[in-house]
Amino acid sequence: MNWQERPRCDETPAWALLQRHFAQRFAGAQAFDLRLAFAEEGARRVERFSFDAPGVFADLSKNLIDDEAQRLLTQLAQQCGVEVLRDALWAGERINTSEQRAVTHVHWRCGSNQALALDGQAQVAIENIASMRRRMAEAQSAMLDFADAVRADAGITDVVNIGIGGSDLGPRMVVQALRSAGQARGPRVHFVANMDGHELAELLPHLQADRTLFVVSSKTFGTAETMQNAASARAWFAAQGGRDVARHFVGVSANTAAVAAFGAGRCFAFDEGVGGRFSLWSSIGFPIALAVGRASFEALLSGARAMDQHFTQMPLGRNLPVQLALLDVWNRNFHRFASRCVAPYHHGLRRLPAYLQQLEMESNGKCVDVRGRTVPFDTAPVVWGEAGSNGQHAFFQMLHQGTQPVPVEFVAVRQAAHALEGHHDRLLANALAQARALMLGDAGDAPQRHFSGNRPSTFLVLDRLDPAGLGALLALYEHRVFVAGAIWGINSFDQWGVELGKRHAGLIERALGSRGETDGAAGDPSTAALARRLR
Ligand code: F6P
């Protein structure tokens, strides 16, 4: 099968069989019940629906799924050509068709010495990929050298990463995670993303201009928020008597000319093929290297690489990213669950839901397929969540007794990185207890104390929140998003949906700044009236 001619999920025989199976086994009064499934299957069910991947263990057994559904879903992946699209990704084909770009983030973590997994590719393609990886490895090595130098420079106490979306969420989450796991030394690393000046204004008084390095991270170097914050930081720097902009501002971008025009002394470049939400492995990972150092950054890449190997080599039926994506399709298109709650039971992973919101919803929140046809099924669910156990005292009421089940994804870490007694066992017990309570329910002695149970959840386990484990987890999520997009037949690598709002913002900004003479630019009466009120 050619990757361009892959069928969409609803065009495959497996899809029709899944619909029939769902109607027979999962709908109506005789619907599938997890408690009965466990009573019948016992520990075999856990074995059947558990997956061991590098760095991550996953138990999917508490989901509303049976052997036959899993078998048909795996056929669905195969019939949708997930493997050929995966091979095309690794071979540097332009699978981001609406932007006519190859998708290159995986190559940033391959290193120039790694064997090329490009069976059946033309020699010229192999050479192109090899030279691309060499360029990436060189850029990475320059970036890591500079990070080392900054870390060794006692004169730099603070680093401020200015970026938004993928140029913020991934690095911010990783720095937070590894810092809490005790991996961080070196300068303090701060992140500023929002165009809301409160964020930058709150940080500036804590900085000394001559001891601060600003990293302006933006693939395009044209994103409004980032340019505004960078300009304000540069103005503040000058106002503090700072003269050497070139020394105190570094750019990370695919647009090297714009970085030079801004006045940054150095630019760590990366290629257009790296999508924002997939970019933390590339030069965009610079703040990570500054915060945790070269060895940890390299371990992060190696963890991701181990997951890449699992993804490219494991048969679909035992392939964790594939099986998680199939579960997502099953939950979204058959059970029709509109959202998924992510509950990381580790303080260091508290920004994981925010990171996943961009990764999953910007990638797969689409209603048109790669051929431009409106899709007749739902795509990305809403992804939301909060660190456990905090979430238990906020929205878990709804998870247990709300009108609709919401699949919950627990992420637990076996070993703690702190020595406070009692906390970690208790935390893990709570994660397990929540998953069990959702499944078992309770008849209760009054309607208000009744829990229906049979509510699905997935349990992911990391051994430790170390760089390699985190790298594996994040690569797992990336591949899962890729597979779900491949099955839905959409392009997971563009994001046209963010453009329209940007266009309106430009017009409205002018109306807000005027004295009323350009109210018309704000467009409709509601927007114009609100603009007048806000002016
Ligand atoms: O929100 C749209 C988007 O293009 C994201 O995809 C991207 O991560 C973010 O803006 C930031 O883009 P840039 O790195 O070009 O500033």
Side-chain angles (χ1 to χ4, degrees), residues 158-179 187-194 196 198-204 207 213-217 229 280 283-292 350-351:
D158 293 85
V159 171
V160 182
N161 186 76
I162 297 176
I164 197 163
S167 301
D168 167 76
L169 289 163
R172 192 195 288 245
M173 185 264 299
V174 170
V175 167
Q176 222 168 46
L178 298 182
R179 190 184 271 152
R188 288 181 287 268
V189 179
H190 315 270
F191 290 86
V192 171
N194 206 323
D196 181 347
H198 290 105
E199 194 178 11
L200 181 62
E202 208 172 277
L203 176 63
L204 291 175
L207 305 174
L213 177 71
F214 289 95
V215 180
V216 185
S217 297
N229 279 323
L280 67 94
S283 311
I284 286 290
F286 183 46
I288 302 175
L290 284 166
V292 300
R350 62 197 178 280
R351 291 286 294 174

Side-chain angles (χ1 to χ4, degrees), residues 83-290:
E83 290 148 300
V84 292
L85 192 65
R86 179 191 65 192
D87 294 346
L89 163 77
W90 254 273
E93 302 278 358
R94 297 185 182 188
I95 63 168
N96 175 355
T97 45
S98 74
E99 296 178 313
Q100 270 303 301
R101 281 180 191 159
V103 171
T104 57
H105 62 278
V106 293
H107 298 287
W108 277 91
R109 54 201 187 214
C110 283
S112 57
N113 298 326
Q114 297 297 316
L116 291 177
L118 291 175
D119 289 352
Q121 294 298 319
Q123 190 57 29
V124 58
I126 293 178
E127 276 162 21
N128 285 343
I129 298 284
S131 79
M132 175 176 78
R133 284 188 189 175
R134 267 197 302 279
R135 285 196 303 278
M136 288 170 175
E138 277 162 26
Q140 213 152 47
S141 149
M143 183 269 265
L144 290 173
D145 286 348
F146 189 65
D148 276 351
V150 174
R151 281 169 63 79
D153 181 350
I156 297 293
T157 54
D158 293 85
V159 171
V160 182
N161 186 76
I162 297 176
I164 197 163
S167 301
D168 167 76
L169 289 163
R172 192 195 288 245
M173 185 264 299
V174 170
V175 167
Q176 222 168 46
L178 298 182
R179 190 184 271 152
S180 96
Q183 298 284 334
R185 262 177 215 96
R188 288 181 287 268
V189 179
H190 315 270
F191 290 86
V192 171
N194 206 323
M195 69 169 55
D196 181 347
H198 290 105
E199 194 178 11
L200 181 62
E202 208 172 277
L203 176 63
L204 291 175
H206 303 284
L207 305 174
Q208 271 178 266
D210 58 346
R211 295 181 147 251
T212 301
L213 177 71
F214 289 95
V215 180
V216 185
S217 297
S218 171
K219 176 171 154 181
T220 51
F221 224 76
T223 302
E225 288 89 341
T226 303
M227 292 304 103
Q228 172 97 53
N229 279 323
S232 299
R234 194 179 47 189
W236 171 86
F237 179 78
Q240 300 293 305
R243 268 189 278 278
D244 198 350
V245 170
R247 178 172 140 75
H248 287 269
F249 283 78
V250 169
V252 178
S253 182
N255 185 353
T256 50
V259 172
F262 177 82
R266 293 190 69 134
C267 176
F268 297 108
F270 61 102
D271 57 298
E272 295 278 359
V274 181
R277 51 204 176 269
F278 300 89
S279 62
L280 67 94
W281 324 100
S282 72
S283 311
I284 286 290
F286 183 46
I288 302 175
L290 284 166

Side-chain angles (χ1 to χ4, degrees), residues 18 66 111 275 410 519:
L18 278 162
D66 64 1
F410 295 90
D519 269 1

